[in-house]
Amino acid sequence: MLPWLLVATLPLTVLADVDKTHGVAPGLLSRYAPTGDKWTCLDGIQVIPWRFVNDDSCDCSDGSDEPGTGACPNTTFYCKNEGHIGASISSSRVRDGLCEPQCCDGTDERPGVCKNTCAEVGALYRKKRDEENKIRKTGSKIRTTYIAFAQKEKKRLEALIESTTQEIEVKEKEVSRLKDIADRLESLSEAALNYKKESQLYISLLDYSDTLRALQNEHKKQLEKQKALGDILDALRTGYNPNYQDMAVLEAVRGWEQIAGLPHINDVGKEDSTTEGENGEEGEAENAEDDELTPEEIETSVNRLLRVDHESLLIAHDEHINAQMDDASHMSSVLPKYEELKDTFVSWMQTLGLVHRDVDPAGETSRARQEFHDAENSLKRAQEDKKSAEKDLKELFDPRHFGSRGQWKKLDGLCLQKEHGDYTYELCFFQEAKQIPKSGSTFSLGKFASWKPSSEADQPDFYETQIYNRGARCWNGPERNVILLLSCGTENALLTVTELEKCEYQFTATTPALCLPLKDSNDNRDREEL
């Protein structure tokens, strides 16, 4: 029994003694070698006896002397995991009685505590890795077609910009030419109109208009005077005393009664004078001849005549009688020059096919101006097309838009759908996400805003997240928005839809655009097949 008693009385440090390099990462193994019986801590400051390494007692200020025991805080423990992949865990999880999944060999705990499962775990890992690599390999081939598409799109846009630039140059010259023709024809038409306005007919019309306006003003003044005089005579009629036998007053009153069609004041009471006056006026209107106009009708007719546009009337008259103004003796010195220029321009227009013969000058001018406006609008459309193509070309290889190789351009506008509950969810890449009910209105969940904001552009994780925001506002809530999480896949597919919070949605999807080529085992660099 003595040998067992001796074992029982051995120090725990002897029983717990472990290899000095236990828990050391492969990159640091060369530094865990003694110099004689001494060892220098990794910080290069302290020198301790070699036997103090992994003795379950922290001696170095940086904790580097206890890589395999967990005695020193804020350090790491490395599991070799033979048959699988090595991993590092925090020293606080070493010898805590729990088998960490990262350490499938169980070396983070004392012998016998954890079973070594690295063979099984490694086999499953390799199977999953092979499946993922197969997907990645297939997806990367599809991705290369996306890149090839971007190159074709680049050539198309460059050709479009070049052809549109040439087209704009031609259209600018055409616009300038047509504008010059329209301006000259309008100038000639204005000269012709000015000449016609020198005619005696037009001058007489203006004289009649001025005279009519003066007569209207005088008529209004006379009506005002007549009304004032009538008010005075009405007051005299109802207020004079007939017992005084003032013949002058009596004659004035009877004369007014006769003109106004009123009964004699002695035949009616003064209180009925107003009604009688009204009846008298009506009687006078009834006795008026049928061909006479009332003052209101006269005013309306005069106003209508004064509103006439004499220039339009002159042109309409000219069109009606188709005046040719052939008599050179009545033409001013300007007219022969006008006719010569007009004939020249009309000849040009006929030669160019812009007008036909026997067309009136006013129509020629209007048609020329329309031709100019049409050409100007065509030029604007060409300029807009060029501007749009330049914008598309700039975005095509922008890392923050379609990627530095343009691999995402193929997906622009591609829409994916997923049935979830009572809704169909639709996401159109780089455009908009929608919630479509079986019946009722469709709600916008947001429009494309950016890639993952917190990542550096053109890095793989940068393209794993898209943000769609500023969607329709929820009832008593915020605006709807979507976070799209992307992963490598052999097809573009919307996998899941989750409402994380009210009006906050998370979509997951796969796409070949995210499948990077497998690394070449020879040079460890990504291979891109074009």
Side-chain angles (χ1 to χ4, degrees), residues 21 63 75 168 194 223 231 282 345 365 396 416-417 480 529:
T21 59
T75 59
I168 288 173
N194 289 335
L223 288 177
D231 291 341
E282 292 178 359
F345 273 98
T365 303
L396 184 57
L416 309 177
Q417 289 189 340
R480 294 173 170 86
E529 298 180 21

Side-chain angles (χ1 to χ4, degrees), residues 239-494:
Y240 89 106
N241 187 347
N243 295 325
Y244 286 137
Q245 297 298 316
D246 188 333
M247 296 306 295
V249 173
L250 180 61
E251 288 298 325
V253 168
R254 288 187 174 180
W256 171 241
E257 289 173 342
Q258 183 178 1
I259 293 174
L262 300 173
H264 186 46
I265 191 63
N266 291 335
D267 298 334
V268 295
K270 295 182 180 181
E271 65 276 7
D272 298 328
S273 60
T274 301
T275 304
E276 292 169 356
E278 293 176 352
N279 292 333
E281 292 175 0
E282 292 178 359
E284 182 182 6
E286 291 175 358
N287 294 330
E289 296 182 7
D290 294 338
D291 58 349
E292 292 184 357
L293 299 178
T294 65
E296 292 78 9
E297 291 173 335
I298 292 174
E299 182 69 16
T300 301
S301 298
V302 170
N303 286 334
R304 184 178 66 254
L305 292 173
L306 290 176
R307 285 196 300 268
V308 171
D309 183 353
H310 294 94
E311 290 185 6
S312 300
L313 185 63
L314 183 63
I315 293 173
H317 171 73
D318 186 59
E319 292 176 350
H320 178 67
I321 65 174
N322 195 22
Q324 300 297 321
M325 296 179 295
D326 294 327
D327 191 356
S329 62
H330 294 290
M331 295 182 181
S332 66
S333 58
V334 178
L335 185 57
K337 296 181 180 179
Y338 159 73
E339 289 291 347
E340 181 181 353
L341 288 172
K342 187 197 75 171
D343 292 342
T344 301
F345 273 98
V346 170
S347 176
W348 290 351
M349 299 286 280
Q350 291 171 346
T351 301
L352 293 172
L354 297 177
V355 299
H356 301 287
R357 299 184 183 276
D358 302 327
V359 178
D360 63 288
E364 294 172 8
T365 303
S366 175
R367 204 163 17 254
R369 180 57 61 180
Q370 185 61 47
E371 291 281 349
F372 163 65
H373 287 313
D374 291 344
E376 195 174 37
N377 291 334
S378 179
L379 172 61
K380 290 180 180 178
R381 287 193 295 270
Q383 291 171 334
E384 290 172 357
D385 290 343
K386 179 184 177 182
K387 185 177 180 180
S388 176
E390 289 174 338
K391 177 178 177 292
D392 291 344
L393 182 60
K394 183 179 179 181
E395 291 179 344
L396 184 57
F397 297 107
D398 183 355
R400 292 193 169 274
H401 208 85
F402 294 126
S404 60
R405 307 197 68 182
Q407 65 269 25
W408 294 93
K409 177 61 178 178
K410 181 71 173 179
L411 273 61
D412 186 18
L414 175 66
C415 296
L416 309 177
Q417 289 189 340
K418 177 70 176 179
E419 298 285 341
H420 182 73
D422 295 331
Y423 300 97
T424 297
Y425 289 86
E426 181 181 77
L427 182 130
C428 298
F429 282 103
F430 302 99
Q431 294 185 12
E432 190 174 13
K434 298 178 181 178
Q435 183 188 61
I436 307 172
K438 297 187 183 303
S439 62
S441 301
T442 296
F443 291 100
S444 171
L445 301 183
K447 295 183 179 180
F448 176 72
S450 68
W451 292 98
K452 189 176 183 179
S454 59
S455 296
E456 184 179 351
D458 215 28
Q459 295 301 311
D461 64 331
F462 178 74
Y463 299 111
E464 292 176 355
T465 304
Q466 280 190 340
I467 306 297
Y468 292 76
N469 58 22
R470 295 186 173 276
R473 186 175 294 278
C474 287
W475 176 256
N476 290 332
E479 293 177 332
R480 294 173 170 86
N481 62 77
V482 172
I483 298 176
L484 174 63
L485 302 181
L486 295 164
S487 60
C488 169
T490 56
E491 61 180 4
N492 297 295
L494 190 59

Side-chain angles (χ1 to χ4, degrees), residues 205-217 220 299-310:
L205 286 174
L206 294 182
D207 288 341
Y208 290 146
S209 178
D210 292 340
T211 303
L212 189 59
R213 186 175 288 103
L215 288 174
Q216 183 189 45
N217 293 335
K220 289 179 179 179
E299 182 69 16
T300 301
S301 298
V302 170
N303 286 334
R304 184 178 66 254
L305 292 173
L306 290 176
R307 285 196 300 268
V308 171
D309 183 353
H310 294 94

Side-chain angles (χ1 to χ4, degrees), residues 218 220-230:
E218 184 63 27
K220 289 179 179 179
K221 292 179 182 179
Q222 294 302 324
L223 288 177
E224 292 174 357
K225 290 180 180 180
Q226 178 181 326
K227 183 178 183 303
L229 181 59

Side-chain angles (χ1 to χ4, degrees), residues 17-42:
D17 191 25
V18 295
D19 185 81
K20 299 300 183 183
T21 59
H22 183 61
V24 178
L28 296 174
L29 280 175
S30 61
R31 300 186 62 180
Y32 280 84
T35 303
D37 61 350
K38 301 293 183 181
W39 183 76
T40 304
C41 299
L42 295 187

